Amino acid sequence: MKGIVSSRSAAAASMIFIGAAVSPAASLADVSNPVCPVESVFFDPGNGEDIVVPAGYKVEVFAKGLNFPTDVAFLGSKGNFQVLVLESGTGLPSRCNDNTKVPAAGGGLLSKFAPNNPFTPNLLIFDRNGHKIAGPLGKPTPAGGGFQPDGPAIGLAFEHDTGGALFATDSNQGVRGAPGAANNTSRVLRVNPQTGTVTPIITGLPTGDHPTEQILVKDGWLYWSQGSATNAGVTGHDNGGGGNQHEIACEQITLSDAVFDSGDGHMTSGFSNHGVQRPGAVVPAFEAATRRGMCTGAILRARISNPMNTIEPVAWGFRNPYGIRFSPNDHPLKGELLVSENGEDERGARPVNNAPDRLQIARQNSDGTPEFHGWPDRFGFLDSTQSVFNPIGGNGDDLCSPTGCTPADIARVKAENTPVRHVLAFPPRPPVAPIGLEPADVAAVGLDFAPKPFLGGVVKPNAVLLAREGDFGFSPENGSPAAGHDIELVNFTSSGNPFELSLSRFAFNCPQASQTHAPDGSPTCRVEVDQAFTGRLRGINRPTTLRFGPDGALYLVDYGAVRDPGGSDPASRFVDQNDAPLVQIPGTGVIWKITRTGGDRHDDD
């Protein structure tokens, strides 16, 4: 049977990808990138038969054949609701993800503004049974209406959880191959789900490596995750060839004396344009932002009643804060904002190896100033200068040649970046530590708190479920078996101690015949899928977020298949070696639905 397999490298699994253009299996591939058709994958999610979940839970396909979904929202009540799905458009840099080069039926090219262009954002609406009832809505128009054409559109949320005004985020980050063209293009939007009308309410937000991402509403405030402009605080070749915008501080900072070498004769200070050296400089808050209150690597907020004039940071000093969700008031976190943060990669002018992803709590200080969480000089609990973070030399490092790291390149990378020197002379205030760490390169993304109908067995009261997208192939794999392309279960084991956590895999790919359960009901697998199994699975590719619906079920948003540079697994490397680093495969997105079916319950615990 045709199927999909999760991989330990970038977006989908090693086994679904054709290893070479002449592979005999290529004729069986049924989904490909239309701009680079040699990049093909098998795609048949079945009904999730090759996803193992805990005893007492069931997984099934809610919707499939989607184009890069990134978020989901629900409108209505338990007995009658609709599911709104945001499709992101171009979200990853590659010449293969070009929305101006999509072949049209009958010849020629599809218009960038065509309603069926897979590389532009839009909104789809499904009934509670997974039947599409509207969309695509909000497609970009030549006059500037709708979502921005290059995307990605990432965040989606109703004002009152399942009703009221609908808000979204988007950017034109997809054009970041053109240096500087995408800068400050991120927006917060109001979307009319009946007409598809998209109305920008906040514009000019920073857009570098990571744009404006997830969004939610609480007590009349819009909250959103604002990613960092760079990988590790320094603008390098991985930022539009050096032409994209630098980091923007949320408070006044003082730079260290360190400058970072990109190998092109340019030495760059942190929080500065590429090639600009300003050792020891005092940098004001919001430098180069389009409006006061806008900064990078932060959780920002603004009042719904006057959004453009009330923007302010809640907390900062994050690398890429992605998932955001307020805890229930009766949770051990007592209503605090839980944040998932993606760690640093081995790439750019300040490459970092082995940096963990983090779970953070974001709070604003009582005096209205933002908390500081240590980035870019602290990665989790540890200082950047700890030897565990020393780079090993990878094809994404600025000091490596475009065709790959030679032994001489690797030696230079290590000499220039061992240890990983500080960007700041000193932190603007004492850093706040995370509450938990995730494996390196796992890409911890969207999260949600489990409601009572979902509790039971291994899912305890106060549990959090976390989507883990998987790495992008810049470094060797992060374990055996590698973490990612899965859902993690986070149990808060003591109601009186919000920092006592138990972390375990909740749902991951495993051949159906090899699925087992531990005595406590937690899922296990008799094979290592990404090493020992040679078949094709009906499983998860690249989950970007998850949300609990009004029916108490968990809806997992699976972006679909993406090919990568192969740094963690050469078997999944893109076929065409001529500048196609992260190739998206349209039509491979899935919304998975996981429900509680019975057994030991914790509803009244």
Side-chain angles (χ1 to χ4, degrees):
M1 178 180 290
K2 297 178 182 178
I4 61 175
V5 180
S6 180
S7 159
R8 58 178 179 263
S9 60
S14 57
M15 313 304 176
I16 69 171
F17 295 133
I18 311 307
V22 296
S23 168
S27 62
L28 299 177
D30 58 2
V31 184
S32 65
N33 180 291
V35 182
C36 301
V38 70
E39 306 292 350
S40 302
V41 302
F42 292 93
F43 178 70
D44 179 7
N47 212 25
E49 291 89 346
D50 296 314
I51 302 172
V52 60
V53 295
Y57 292 86
K58 178 184 72 172
V59 60
E60 58 190 320
V61 169
F62 176 78
K64 63 182 179 180
L66 307 178
N67 296 321
F68 326 119
T70 47
D71 211 346
V72 63
F74 305 94
L75 177 63
S77 61
K78 177 180 179 180
N80 183 23
F81 64 90
Q82 297 174 349
V83 182
L84 286 73
V85 176
L86 187 64
E87 293 186 316
S88 71
T90 301
L92 298 169
S94 171
R95 64 180 176 81
C96 297
N97 306 334
D98 189 333
N99 56 25
T100 68
K101 297 180 180 178
V102 180
L109 297 177
L110 207 60
S111 165
K112 187 173 188 173
F113 301 102
N116 60 336
N117 192 318
F119 290 109
T120 58
N122 57 258
L123 185 69
L124 303 175
I125 303 179
F126 298 84
D127 66 20
R128 61 172 302 170
N129 298 312
H131 301 125
K132 192 175 81 168
I133 56 176
L137 302 171
K139 274 291 187 182
T141 69
F147 294 101
Q148 294 182 86
D150 293 307
I154 293 179
L156 192 67
F158 278 105
E159 182 178 7
H160 304 302
D161 194 25
T162 58
L166 178 64
F167 298 96
T169 66
D170 78 348
S171 75
N172 240 23
Q173 186 199 39
V175 301
R176 57 186 154 167
N183 291 357
N184 301 313
T185 61
S186 288
R187 308 185 301 181
V188 174
L189 316 163
R190 192 189 297 262
V191 181
N192 186 320
Q194 282 76 44
T195 65
T197 301
V198 173
T199 304
I201 60 173
I202 299 177
T203 59
L205 288 163
T207 312
D209 253 29
H210 312 104
T212 301
E213 293 168 328
Q214 290 205 332
I215 189 167
L216 51 78
V217 185
K218 185 177 182 182
D219 299 333
W221 288 88
L222 290 159
Y223 290 79
W224 66 92
S225 47
Q226 187 68 50
S228 60
T230 66
N231 172 53
V234 180
T235 312
H237 292 163
D238 55 334
N239 307 121
N244 289 355
Q245 65 189 104
H246 61 70
E247 299 296 344
I248 300 173
C250 299
E251 300 177 274
Q252 179 177 291
I253 57 172
T254 300
L255 299 179
S256 72
D257 289 334
V259 291
F260 298 85
D261 188 358
S262 285
D264 57 354
H266 291 163
M267 307 291 288
T268 306
S269 293
F271 288 81
S272 306
N273 287 333
H274 183 65
V276 173
Q277 302 174 47
R278 45 179 183 169
V282 175
V283 179
F286 316 122
E287 180 188 57
T290 63
R291 188 174 288 259
R292 182 174 179 81
M294 297 180 178
C295 44
T296 58
I299 304 300
L300 304 181
R301 72 174 187 173
R303 291 192 180 277
I304 294 176
S305 58
N306 187 16
M308 278 298 289
N309 296 316
T310 57
I311 302 167
E312 61 183 33
V314 174
W316 78 295
F318 305 109
R319 190 259 187 177
N320 182 26
Y322 189 99
I324 53 174
R325 204 69 170 169
F326 280 102
S327 64
N329 290 331
D330 60 355
H331 189 275
L333 294 176
K334 300 187 185 305
E336 299 279 16
L337 181 63
L338 184 62
V339 179
S340 59
E341 179 189 4
N342 292 178
E344 300 68 26
D345 296 327
E346 168 94 11
R347 61 181 171 91
R350 190 178 179 239
V352 178
N353 195 40
N354 290 326
D357 286 12
R358 285 83 86 170
L359 292 175
Q360 304 267 14
I361 301 298
R363 306 180 186 91
Q364 194 175 65
N365 294 316
S366 59
D367 63 358
T369 58
E371 277 190 341
F372 178 67
H373 286 251
W375 190 84
D377 290 341
R378 182 179 289 190
F379 308 144
F381 296 108
L382 299 180
D383 190 276
S384 71
T385 58
Q386 294 289 296
S387 60
V388 67
F389 302 128
N390 292 347
I392 59 175
N395 293 339
D397 298 354
D398 274 11
L399 292 178
C400 285
S401 64
T403 56
C405 263
T406 66
D409 291 336
I410 292 172
R412 189 178 177 192
V413 167
K414 292 180 177 180
E416 290 286 339
N417 296 284
T418 301
V420 179
R421 294 167 294 162
H422 286 175
V423 166
L424 305 179
F426 48 84
R429 62 180 69 239
V432 175
I435 65 168
L437 296 183
E438 290 287 324
D441 302 319
V442 76
V445 280
L447 51 87
D448 204 358
F449 291 84
K452 284 188 174 182
F454 200 77
L455 304 181
V458 297
V459 183
K460 308 299 183 183
N462 306 313
V464 168
L465 280 298
L466 172 67
R468 303 195 300 183
E469 192 175 4
D471 70 66
F472 279 94
F474 293 106
S475 294
E477 63 179 351
N478 59 14
S480 182
H485 312 283
D486 60 14
I487 301 175
E488 183 178 63
L489 170 64
V490 181
N491 276 319
F492 289 75
T493 60
S494 172
S495 60
N497 186 355
F499 306 110
E500 187 176 306
L501 309 179
S502 173
L503 309 179
S504 61
R505 296 179 89 185
F506 175 84
F508 56 93
N509 291 339
C510 175
Q512 187 175 20
S514 296
Q515 295 174 10
T516 62
H517 293 92
D520 67 351
S522 59
T524 61
C525 188
R526 286 190 290 264
V527 301
E528 289 188 15
V529 173
D530 56 1
Q531 292 182 7
F533 186 70
T534 58
R536 296 184 297 274
L537 302 188
R538 299 152 294 183
I540 302 168
N541 268 307
R542 186 173 271 280
T544 57
T545 196
L546 48 77
R547 290 285 182 262
F548 284 97
D551 56 350
L554 178 65
Y555 292 79
L556 177 68
V557 180
D558 187 342
Y559 189 83
V562 179
R563 307 193 76 159
D564 71 50
S568 63
D569 180 7
S572 71
R573 188 180 180 91
F574 50 85
V575 175
D576 186 341
Q577 301 289 310
N578 300 316
D579 182 34
L582 292 168
V583 183
Q584 303 173 202
I585 309 295
T588 58
V590 176
I591 307 297
W592 303 95
K593 180 180 178 181
I594 302 177
T595 52
R596 176 74 183 152
T597 58
D600 179 29
R601 302 186 70 90
H602 303 297
D603 295 48
D604 300 320
D605 288 13

